[in-house]
Amino acid sequence: MGVGDLLAQHYSGVKDLNSVNWVRTAKYASIGLCFMGPALTYWSNIMHPWMCVQRNRTTAVFKQIISDQIYLAPTLNLGLVSLSDLSDTNSYEEIEQRICEKYILVIKRHYAFWPAVQLFCTFVIQPNLQLFFANAIAIGWFGYMSTVLNNGENDAQKQIEPTSENKQRRRYFFL
């Protein structure tokens, strides 16, 4: 998640290492290390034995994707939104308000993006490359989430005017 946050900051206009908000990057890296990593490891340890006993691979994949989207996605996204706001705000009312504002947006985007990635990864990517592919996509996703969750962070700071260089970089960012 820390790499994703660095990508998000670079995409938003940070040009050198002195301009990087290292506290924010450390916050997202610690969320990834202490929350997302253990939660995903625990989830995969639960799902892997269950997937191995399924007879039909296609049915098993769809059952796993549905289970991921019903049980795992809401929990992980709520944890991500909560933990990212926990260190930024002072009161529980502010945290609750920010969760109400951002959680619905995050979960909608998650449901629009990750099932397609899981299907593509499972049925198109070779099995020995699936983990690499999913992790590469996750870095970009966490960069996007960092941008969404911190879009109001720079209100007090000077906003960077979009130049032709920034517009061109944004156009080719994911190529």
Side-chain angles (χ1 to χ4, degrees):
M1 287 189 64
V3 174
D5 181 65
L6 285 174
L7 284 174
Q9 289 186 46
H10 175 72
Y11 183 70
S12 68
V14 172
K15 295 196 182 283
D16 59 356
L17 291 177
N18 294 331
S19 302
V20 172
N21 184 349
W22 290 106
V23 173
R24 182 177 119 176
T25 301
K27 176 180 73 171
Y28 281 101
S30 63
I31 290 172
L33 182 67
C34 299
F35 174 68
M36 298 290 276
L40 289 170
T41 301
Y42 183 72
W43 180 257
S44 64
N45 288 339
I46 290 172
M47 293 301 289
H48 183 70
W50 179 76
M51 290 290 294
C52 290
V53 298
Q54 301 293 316
R55 292 179 187 221
N56 186 345
R57 180 176 179 265
T58 305
T59 305
V61 167
F62 280 109
K63 284 181 181 179
Q64 180 180 2
I65 291 172
I66 290 169
S67 298
D68 286 350
Q69 302 310 313
I70 291 173
Y71 301 114
L72 183 66
T75 307
L76 281 182
N77 287 318
L78 183 61
L80 175 62
V81 172
S82 302
L83 290 172
S84 68
D85 289 340
L86 191 61
S87 62
D88 294 339
T89 55
N90 297 326
S91 68
Y92 291 115
E93 291 80 22
E94 291 177 24
I95 294 172
E96 184 179 358
Q97 179 185 3
R98 288 185 71 181
I99 288 173
C100 290
E101 292 171 358
K102 294 180 180 179
Y103 178 71
I104 299 300
L105 174 68
V106 167
I107 200 74
K108 281 182 182 178
R109 304 255 169 99
H110 177 95
Y111 285 147
F113 181 72
W114 279 107
V117 169
Q118 287 179 301
L119 285 171
F120 183 80
C121 184
T122 303
F123 293 116
V124 177
I125 304 296
Q126 296 175 1
N128 59 337
L129 297 175
Q130 288 178 357
L131 184 63
F132 174 76
F133 176 78
N135 285 331
I137 296 296
I139 289 172
W141 176 256
F142 289 133
Y144 175 73
M145 285 293 100
S146 176
T147 302
V148 167
L149 295 174
N150 293 297
N151 63 357
E153 179 184 88
N154 297 328
D155 289 342
Q157 300 174 358
K158 183 184 101 179
Q159 293 291 325
I160 297 173
E161 292 294 322
T163 62
S164 62
E165 177 187 333
N166 285 345
K167 288 179 184 177
Q168 185 174 7
R169 184 175 63 213
R170 287 181 180 155
R171 186 178 317 135
Y172 299 112
F173 182 70
F174 286 108
L175 294 179

